[in-house]
Amino acid sequence: MSDTRIIKKYPNRRLYDTHQSCYITLADVRELVMNEIPFQVVDRQTSEDITRSILLQIIMEQESGGKPLFSSDLLSKFIRNYGVTTQQGFSSFMEQSMQLFNNQQQAISEQMHRALAGTPLDNWLKLSEQNLQAWNKMQQDILKTMSPLGKRD
C-alpha cells in the first residue's frame, strides 16, 4: 500500500482526506506540506490529479495575506518563462535553487546547534522549542474540536 495520502476534491469544493476519513481545509493541506507528508489530490468526479492546482491555491492564500514571498517583478518573470523553449531549463533551475537553499538553511541550523550545544543559551532554546511545540499542539487540538468534520467518502 502506498504511503501517499489521497485527498479527494468534491464538486462542492470540499476536500476529503481518505486517510483520516474527514473533510479538511487548505490549511490542513498546507500542514501536510509543512510536515513533508506525501499526498495527492484527485478530482472526485474525473479522478484527475489536481495536486498542483491545490498547491497553487495555498500559495495564493499565503501571498494575499501578510508579507508576500514573491514580488510583482519576479511573478512577471515566471509568467514570461511559460511556453518558451527554455521553460524546462527554468523549471529545473528553480528546483535546484530551492534544493540548494534548503540544504544551506539546514547546514546553518546544524552549525548553530553545534556551536550552542552545552551552553546556557542551548538549554533556553530547547525549552522554548518544547513550549512552542506544546502551544502548537494545543492550538491544533482546539481547532479540531471547533471545526465541523463530516464523515463521508
Side-chain angles (χ1 to χ4, degrees):
M1 184 169 184
S2 175
D3 289 340
T4 301
R5 188 176 286 190
I6 302 297
I7 299 169
K8 296 179 182 179
K9 183 175 182 186
Y10 281 82
N12 63 3
R13 300 174 59 186
R14 293 186 76 187
L15 300 170
Y16 186 82
D17 184 339
T18 60
H19 178 76
Q20 294 181 337
S21 299
C22 65
Y23 286 103
I24 61 173
T25 64
L26 284 178
D28 297 320
V29 176
R30 182 181 180 278
E31 283 300 312
L32 293 175
V33 172
M34 299 303 291
N35 293 324
E36 299 182 17
I37 297 171
F39 67 92
Q40 179 182 23
V41 183
V42 295
D43 184 284
R44 174 70 170 90
Q45 291 180 315
T46 65
S47 298
E48 177 187 1
D49 182 354
I50 57 170
T51 307
R52 287 185 69 255
S53 68
I54 296 298
L55 293 172
L56 286 169
Q57 285 180 9
I58 293 169
I59 290 171
M60 287 290 297
E61 280 190 2
Q62 293 293 126
E63 285 292 303
S64 64
K67 186 174 181 182
L69 181 63
F70 302 114
S71 68
S72 295
D73 186 48
L74 181 60
L75 290 172
S76 296
K77 289 176 184 175
F78 282 170
I79 292 168
R80 284 187 210 109
N81 279 285
Y82 281 98
V84 297
T85 56
T86 59
Q87 180 174 337
Q88 181 61 37
F90 177 74
S91 178
S92 177
F93 171 77
M94 292 301 297
E95 287 180 20
Q96 290 175 9
S97 296
M98 288 300 299
Q99 185 62 45
L100 177 62
F101 179 80
N102 288 338
N103 290 345
Q104 289 174 339
Q105 292 292 341
Q106 185 175 359
I108 289 170
S109 177
E110 289 171 0
Q111 286 176 352
M112 289 298 294
H113 284 297
R114 282 195 297 269
L116 296 174
T119 67
L121 185 57
D122 182 40
N123 293 329
W124 280 103
L125 290 173
K126 287 178 183 174
L127 182 60
S128 297
E129 189 173 311
Q130 289 173 352
N131 288 340
L132 183 60
Q133 288 173 356
W135 177 254
N136 285 336
K137 182 176 181 342
M138 183 179 68
Q139 283 181 317
Q140 289 174 354
D141 291 344
I142 289 171
L143 289 174
K144 283 180 184 176
T145 61
M146 293 174 60
S147 65
L149 299 175
K151 299 247 180 198
R152 282 194 295 192
D153 186 21

